[in-house]
Amino acid sequence: MALSAEPVLPPPAPEAAAHSRLLAELIASTILDAGGWLPFERYMELALYAPGQGYYAAGSRKFGSEGDFVTAPEISPMFARCIALQARQVLEAVGGDILELGPGSGALAADLYGELKAQGKAPRNYFLLEVSPELRERQHALLAERFPDDFDRFTWIDGLPQRFRGFVVANEVLDVVPFSLVYRKGMDLHERGVILTDAGFAWDDQPMVEGDLLNRAAAALPPGDYDYLSEVGLAAEGLVRTLAAGLEAGVALFIDYGFPERELYHPQRSMGTLRCHYRHHFHGDPFFLPGLQDITAHVDFSAMARAAQQGGAEVHGFTTQAYFLISCGLAVMVSAEDPTMTLSRLKATSAVHRLISPAEMGELFKVLAIGKGVDFPLLGFQSARPLQL
Ligand SMILES: C[S@@+](CC[C@H](N)C(=O)[O-])C[C@H]1O[C@@H](n2cnc3c(N)ncnc32)[C@H](O)[C@@H]1O
């Protein structure tokens, strides 16, 4: 099938192109079965998670310099060491285990568990919730190699636990949970979907029907009668709500790029935040080579905080990644390894620079902490500048 509006990006290897064509055919037949129009949320679900074919469900490299994007745990183990200090504080106070959502390559799990183990504070159980069978295998192989003697502490689970006590972490997971595209044309709200044309996939907007999506879009979009495109992540909200409802005691950290609602749905952000990642190129065409690229959007942290509260949890902190890491002691950690390290030199060392620089991940990435049964200030927010949700 021809693909629409391809940006100028590196061509895939022939077998990768063939893989993408097969997935495009699956999506095309799903569109036809649905009567010719598919909500974007469903398109994204297939493009990323169709069994054996979606971007996260199949074998492309994804992470690291050979892949499509780099995440914080892949940049430096210092990231996991900071999270370990936060996890330790929570586990010492409330007991329980660790649960990681969307562990990707397994780098955070390996370094976080490894750091706690080195401190004599390894949790009895490290649960991993991963929707991708292919990534589960990678995590399995990495953790079996790194921790042959305590591999039985790692358990993969298929869904969110109904009851959980301890520490939960999700780094760059909420941004890849399929979301809806909403488009206000003049005064009318539409849901953006995907149709088939002779040239491939194309956009098509349908008037929104009564329901949760209409209510959320009407509440979130800035007032006005100008055209405005954005995203609404009802499934991500559902994930946070369910997780919060199952939390008996403890803290969940969500780390991702995103904004509070008033910034995400700012009048000037009228083209939305949908972004695709393909071999370290960022672009806005989700129809490009389905199955070979990631599709994401910025997270609405106000909506996530509300969802957590609906699940009975409280918000315990919201700040930038830079403030969180520094509040956890990143600078102290680095200077312990090299006493000549000052904060300004630290900013210049490339891995740490990428984690905390405002021009890189430091400000765009935020950390939201929600919890239950926690009556002490969390380490990562103690000396951090709080942001308004
Ligand atoms: C962008 S990657 C981030 C991986 C890793 N956390 C990191 O920081 O490198 C997103 C991860 O979330 C997983 N994922 C997506 N939706 C999920 C869900 N609903 N529950 C659990 N994992 C999910 C993906 O398969 C993948 O492992």
Side-chain angles (χ1 to χ4, degrees), residues 62-372:
K62 299 182 256 292
F63 308 95
S65 55
E66 303 291 305
D68 302 297
F69 54 85
V70 181
T71 60
E74 311 275 332
I75 290 174
S76 166
M78 292 282 174
F79 180 79
R81 289 179 61 190
C82 291
I83 306 278
L85 289 174
Q86 181 59 91
R88 179 176 167 174
Q89 185 202 24
V90 173
L91 293 175
E92 284 182 343
V94 303
D97 301 303
I98 293 187
L99 164 62
E100 184 177 350
L101 309 184
S105 70
L108 177 59
D111 291 336
L112 169 53
Y113 182 83
E115 179 65 17
L116 288 170
K117 184 177 173 173
Q119 295 178 12
K121 298 288 174 184
R124 178 64 199 90
N125 294 293
Y126 194 113
F127 296 104
L128 303 98
L129 173 54
E130 173 55 73
V131 291
S132 157
E134 193 266 332
L135 289 175
R136 271 188 188 212
E137 277 179 30
R138 281 202 229 175
Q139 295 152 16
H140 203 277
L142 177 70
L143 296 170
E145 190 195 331
R146 283 274 295 269
F147 306 105
D149 296 335
D150 29 11
F151 185 62
D152 63 343
R153 296 192 183 207
F154 295 97
T155 305
W156 280 262
I157 56 175
D158 294 325
L160 289 169
Q162 289 189 343
R163 300 178 66 180
F164 183 81
R165 171 179 284 267
F167 180 77
V168 184
V169 61
N171 187 61
E172 287 208 50
V173 178
L174 296 177
D175 65 299
V176 294
V177 175
F179 47 82
S180 305
L181 289 179
V182 297
Y183 182 53
R184 184 180 65 206
K185 184 147 185 59
M187 295 292 281
D188 301 323
L189 282 172
H190 295 78
E191 181 173 4
R192 181 155 283 194
V194 185
I195 57 169
L196 277 174
T197 69
D198 290 344
F201 299 128
W203 295 120
D204 186 76
D205 300 324
Q206 295 287 326
M208 251 190 229
V209 291
E210 292 288 325
D212 290 347
L213 184 61
L214 177 62
N215 295 340
R216 284 283 294 109
L221 268 47
D225 60 359
Y226 53 95
D227 294 358
Y228 195 93
L229 174 67
S230 198
E231 307 87 23
V232 171
L234 292 182
E237 288 175 35
L239 186 154
V240 173
R241 193 179 303 113
T242 307
L243 178 81
L247 196 62
E248 280 180 352
V251 166
L253 279 192
F254 296 97
I255 308 160
D256 231 306
Y257 41 85
F259 297 110
E261 198 166 68
R262 67 183 178 283
E263 283 181 58
L264 182 63
Y265 299 107
H266 192 276
Q268 284 173 355
R269 209 181 298 283
S270 61
M271 301 297 284
T273 66
L274 186 152
R275 196 158 69 153
C276 304
H277 300 241
Y278 173 72
R279 299 217 223 151
H280 298 277
H281 294 268
F282 304 148
H283 67 90
D285 183 3
F287 303 152
F288 177 72
L289 294 175
L292 301 187
Q293 65 169 1
D294 199 7
I295 305 173
T296 74
H298 287 23
V299 171
D300 173 355
F301 278 103
S302 309
M304 299 308 143
R306 277 196 304 270
Q309 286 159 342
Q310 286 158 5
E314 290 174 355
V315 172
H316 285 277
F318 179 54
T319 192
T320 64
Q321 175 169 299
Y323 275 114
F324 175 82
L325 295 177
I326 290 168
S327 185
C328 282
L330 180 70
V332 180
M333 219 177 265
V334 179
S335 60
E337 286 181 2
D338 173 1
T340 66
M341 190 63 77
T342 58
L343 191 61
S344 53
R345 270 195 64 213
L346 173 66
K347 282 185 181 152
T349 61
S350 66
V352 174
H353 174 83
R354 291 184 72 183
L355 294 177
I356 62 173
S357 157
E360 302 251 0
M361 302 176 101
E363 277 199 0
L364 182 56
F365 278 71
K366 312 289 191 305
V367 185
L368 172 69
I370 61 140
K372 278 190 195 163

